[in-house]
Amino acid sequence: MEEYNPQKIEKKWAEVWDKTKLYQTDLKSKKNKHYNLVMFPYPSGEYLHIGHGYSFSGADVYARFKKLNGFNVFEPIGYDSFGLPAENFAIKNKVHPKESTASNIKHAEKQLRSFGTMFDFSKEVVTSDSSYYKWTQWLFLKLYEKGLVYQKESPVNWCPKCLTVLANEQVINGLCERCDTQVVQKNLKQWFFKITDYAERLIKDLDKVDWPGSSVIKQRNWIGRSEGVEFEMDIVGQKEKIKTYTTRIDTVFGMTYVVLAPEHPLVLKITSKENKKAVEDYQIKSQKLSEVDRQLEDREKTGVFTGAYAVNPFNNKKVPVWIADYVIYGYGTGAVMAVPAHDERDFEFAKKYNLPIVESIAPYMKDDPRDDKETEKRDIVTAIVKNPKNNSYLCLNWKTTDWKSFPTGGTDGEDLVKAAKREVGEETGYKNLKFIKQIGDSIFSEFYRPHKDSNVFANFKYLLFELENEEKEVVAQKEKDQHEAVWVKETEVSSFISVWNQKIAWKRYKEGDFAYTDYGVVINSGRFSGLKSEEAKEKMAKWLEDKKLGGKKINYRLRDWSIGRQRYWGAPIPIIYCKKCGVQPVPEKDLPVLLPELPLEKVQPKGTGKGPLANAKEFVKTICPKCGGEAERETDTMDTFVDSSFYFLRYPSVSNNKEMMEKEVTKKWLPVDMYVGGAEHVTMHLLYARFITKALFDQKLIDFDEPFLRLRHQGMILGPDGKKMSKSKGNVVIPDEVIKEYGADTFRTYILFMGPFEDGGPWDPKGIKGIQRFLEKYWELANEVLKNQKPENPEEVIYYSKEIEETALLRIIHKTIKKVSEDIEGFRFNTAVSSFMVCLNEMLKIKSKLPFSKSSVLWKEVLEIFSILLSPFAPFITEEVWERFGNHDSIFTAAWPKYDEGLIEEEVITLVVQINGKVRDTIEVSAGISQKDAQKEALKSQKVIKYTTGKKVANSFFVPNKLINLIVE
RNA sequence: GCCCGAGUGGCGGAAUUGGUAUACGCGACGGACUUAAAAUCCGUUGGCCGUAAGGCCUUGUGGGUUCAAGUCCCACCUCGGGCACCA
């Protein structure tokens, strides 16, 4: 028999598919479309690694599955070829980026073709090609027209190694995303896209898309919406006012100082003469700090007093105004009302600089009060009694409930100390206590009391006592029945006490004050006292509005997208500076602004804050489009994320030089139906692409405002050592070697079989043998069936007889159709592959009982179905088998098989018999058996009898066609 | 610190709605074929006790709900990812 030779087969079909243009999508076709997109690669000079192979394999299985299901599938590919990696590679290898990019693309394309993907190479985009970046520039102009582009001098992230500005999204833990160099802050005039205008919609419209839940959450958190209140405070003796933003207006009565960011413009205006020197020094010092240093986790808080006082409008109290670098100028108003009692940062600062701490929120817990009952307010006091002789504390171990608590009781208007002493006496007998101090302020709790059939809204206070001597009075029997008094060692108190509010009180006592940051009941807050946080927030916001001092405000963490890069290898920003007319956009008709061909030595950035284009005199020098006078071009290039924010819009129109998006074809093909790529792009590319889509939608250039309807991520493939692949670790695996040895079919099937698609994991070359064996077995079976395709005597053929084996053959293939269809739709490729193996193993078993001579027609049919099912994973081998079976058209023009529910259903099923929840036997019964009959059958089993003799079946639970659980006593 | 996600054999992993835990594959062991090896084929393979029949235990740990828990609830531990002085 002819051996399976993947190299030969794959070479043959790659050529045939290319020649017949099988994967060139007719974009004008009326058929149902499916736009299947993969994130296009970065041809940086490395080979496409195994991770690309993973991503493309998964996406391609889905694309082929859709094609077989009758969709007109478009699976384009291109190259994200502008940018730092490509440029750095070129500089390092002393090749011009233009040349290196071209050769890298050539190599990448060769690799891509070897993967056996159905990419439509005829509609390729190359972002560094002027035919593409013309549209990058056009996009810039469109946003510019609508005021979504602006230029601002501001501190920006500067990578001292890449010598360029980076977007917020490109700074990872304070390091440059590309080269891991520590990023510093630099003041530069920069171009920004106003993505913050879209913050709300970018959050809201996440509801519209089918994306992995974790990615939706990640993007939401990145945008960081927060609801709060903004209000103004007077400054004593000055005209200026301080505007502040807070999400916790309910804590405002606890404000004991105000902090401004050091760079806040108000700082110098309000600083008093005596404090001027210190404030200025501090400002200079903090300006020098890099973003990283400023964000270091355990950095101690620092700050200085300005000498000014602000007035809390709620209680007209004067509070000192400080500056400190823990307040960020770019967020909110750059000014914070500091409430040390209820904010950890303010607390730390207040402790360090001895600022007062005032509680305005008391802990509160709603402990299942009943809505239908009255609520009574009660003041309650808890005594924490210390025995100084042995360092233990007086506690109660309750007999009537599972409480473990300190002595506690109502005050009934009595003095707190007196009431506490009385309670301790009644409950435990101890009568000589010395009052030490009160611990914290109130804690509230609302709960239902069964013995009085009412709710209590309790106000707990906590007093600390020391035991003077062990003298006791008699404890009433009634008390003794309820609880016993025990002395608990200090170290064990916190685990002993079970009552939540006493746990908090104990923590306060032992660890001293801490910031209580949860919601609760507002206290010490004048007319707002007694309200719960949620209510107080509403009423306080309303109060501010009425007084015209402020009101509700929503803030976002998201910053505008800085898009200028001081590097060579990118799309020039189409802007002209005219001395007379100022900043002028390049007119559309003059696009593209061609990237000048600089010699390699001039490509290298100098770090002057200006990019290499500034050295290209003939490029810089131009004329003003408005007045025709002498003018200069902008020399920054655009961030590559601008290039990739619209490439999916360009693919269908790639052959059109007049329009970025051809109307008809765009309307038909977009948005993207399925997008496959890494989760690392969630807060960058995917966010930018959504923003650009919405901006174009608002200009009525497209009629949809979400670009990617469905999104799936592939996991990361790690090196065989379990570490992230990197050249320096020497653990990079490239798919070429694997494909050369085993073929693309085996590679694709294996990499998808390794585990769940979204998980990834270490590349383990050992397991690939299993897939190789599987494909070989399939190949052999198919060829054997083929050999027996035409029986000598056609009369001998029994077609669909009732032979058990035939039924079994049909059953297994139909089961497999169902399973594989569902698994591919759900991106569960690993289990789909496993069911192929189950199916093949079953077929081989049947084969030994069902000779070909009798049923070759059925065998052929089954093998054809199996081939179609397998073809998305292993396109080459299945295409070859398909052809050998006498089909003239490609297998990918075939129809995906439908399964017959009736054929899947078993006639005899294996029923699990449990006795008291433990599996004791399995019995063969006919499908659809009733509970009664099942029980009867089960009780016949010898194994079951063993457990049931002399016992009564008290109950039974039945899961039809699965299980029966008999309860015997 | 906060927000996600995950812990299942020697390994990768499976288990639809709570219903036979360990499918499928790798590896390992035993056997067949072979002068031999590779390849291939057949068998065994969660742990413990037992000659066996069989029994007991087992999905990170500890509790709970249930006739029944990998799956649901509570607490904790470990790992991975994201955010991180965002007021």
Side-chain angles (χ1 to χ4, degrees), chain A residues 414-426:
Chain A
E414 224 174 330
D415 169 72
L416 280 182
V417 176
K418 242 171 104 183
K421 282 184 172 172
R422 178 179 47 73
E423 281 297 338
V424 173
E426 284 172 14

Side-chain angles (χ1 to χ4, degrees), chain A residues 684-786:
Chain A
M684 295 195 260
H685 161 62
L686 287 166
L687 188 66
Y688 297 143
R690 292 184 62 223
F691 157 59
I692 293 297
T693 302
K694 285 176 192 304
L696 293 173
F697 171 81
D698 286 353
Q699 297 191 38
K700 305 210 162 51
L701 289 162
I702 48 180
D703 60 1
F704 54 93
D705 65 349
E706 277 299 329
F708 314 122
L709 298 180
R710 289 182 79 193
L711 171 73
R712 294 294 178 266
H713 299 305
Q714 82 278 1
M716 197 189 295
I717 300 291
L718 308 170
D721 53 0
K723 296 197 178 94
K724 200 171 161 175
M725 284 191 199
S726 81
K727 234 179 173 176
S728 57
K729 288 195 205 100
N731 62 351
V732 177
V733 180
I734 57 166
D736 304 40
E737 301 156 1
V738 184
I739 289 172
K740 201 173 156 205
E741 190 172 352
Y742 297 95
D745 283 339
T746 302
F747 169 72
R748 292 163 57 108
T749 312
Y750 177 59
I751 202 159
L752 293 172
F753 177 63
M754 287 199 321
F757 188 60
E758 65 279 11
D759 284 5
W763 169 255
D764 174 11
K766 272 189 295 187
I768 200 165
K769 291 266 182 229
I771 298 294
Q772 192 184 29
R773 285 177 198 143
F774 161 72
L775 288 180
E776 274 167 3
K777 279 194 249 176
Y778 158 70
W779 174 258
E780 277 165 25
L781 179 64
N783 279 288
E784 212 175 323
V785 168
L786 181 68

